[in-house]
Amino acid sequence: IQDKDGDENWHLYQTNLAAPTTKDLTPYEGVKAEILAADSRFPNEMLIQMNKRDPSLFDVYRLNLKTGELDLDTENPGGVIHWLADHNLQVRVAQSFTADGSTLIRVRDHVSSPWRDWLMFDPTEIGEVDDFTADNQSLYVITSLGGNTGRLLKINLANGERTLIAEDPQYDLSSTLLHPTTHALEAIGVERERYDWIVFDPQLKADFDYLSQQFKGPFSIASRDLANQNWIVISQSDQR
């Protein structure tokens, strides 16, 4: 992703490392492109969003990474400010604001199903849909509903059943960390005085402890290989 002279009209570029050559996959003037979703099981596809049709709205496009072909996948009916795709690269969540400033979450069971109102957060509440569970049947939602801080809930899409996954009594939780191929929940960030982690996967506990000792300050995971054996980690310490 790169813009031109800071105009914030981001284009999506693809580089062939062997050649090396770089190609602008979204060569449209005055249009902003953003990556929405990618998955290792679909190595030749990616979902992106662009305001190409209407400068005020972002539609979702399916991009063929081999040919560069772009197909309109999901058209914005108006007012949608955030899309979310499941792990099969199917757009199934749309977020918008209501007239009073509340956040409305709409979902659909399949791409051929109609959209339905699913969850509402009033302006005084924290409410953010973070990701799909591994089975695509529920959503991880960070919300202050039922609590004083942003907590992590798992909410079933079909029946609305809510399961509390994690919370901190004083601090809001942040984004989740999912395994790159199984999509199992591994950890979630906590917005304490310094950014911290709650680790769910016991196999990663020692890794997070080691990174905390090495950096002596906040860190985040920027990227990982599909085997989950090599990580690129960002140290955000104010002493380095």
Side-chain angles (χ1 to χ4, degrees), residues 80-96:
V80 175
I81 61 168
H82 177 64
W83 301 100
L84 183 66
D86 65 18
H87 301 304
N88 292 321
L89 296 189
Q90 303 296 313
V91 178
R92 294 176 54 202
V93 177
Q95 176 180 319
S96 58

Side-chain angles (χ1 to χ4, degrees), residues 82 163 179:
H82 177 64
T163 304
H179 188 280

Side-chain angles (χ1 to χ4, degrees), residues 116-185:
R116 55 186 170 88
D117 294 355
W118 185 69
L119 197 60
M120 181 90 75
F121 306 110
D122 72 42
T124 66
E125 294 167 335
I126 296 170
E128 176 185 355
V129 176
D130 191 77
D131 214 328
F132 278 83
T133 55
D135 61 6
N136 289 323
Q137 300 302 308
S138 300
L139 287 169
Y140 290 121
V141 179
I142 298 174
T143 176
S144 58
L145 286 173
N148 294 320
T149 59
R151 311 182 300 163
L152 179 64
L153 303 181
K154 182 177 76 171
I155 306 180
N156 185 278
L157 282 162
N159 59 28
E161 180 182 356
R162 300 179 184 181
T163 304
L164 176 62
I165 303 298
E167 67 176 334
D168 186 293
Q170 292 182 282
Y171 302 98
D172 295 329
L173 303 189
S174 186
S175 58
T176 56
L177 183 71
L178 305 184
H179 188 280
T181 57
T182 69
H183 307 297
L185 179 63

Side-chain angles (χ1 to χ4, degrees), residues 1-5 7-14 22-35 46 48-52 58 63 70:
I1 289 286
Q2 177 66 51
D3 69 347
K4 182 179 180 181
D5 298 327
D7 63 3
E8 297 190 5
N9 287 321
W10 310 98
H11 288 207
L12 178 63
Y13 292 88
Q14 180 187 56
T22 296
K23 177 182 179 181
D24 185 352
L25 295 174
T26 57
Y28 311 112
E29 287 297 319
V31 173
K32 180 183 294 186
E34 298 173 348
I35 296 173
M46 179 182 286
I48 68 171
Q49 58 183 33
M50 289 192 298
N51 57 347
K52 180 174 179 286
F58 281 86
L63 169 65
L70 277 164

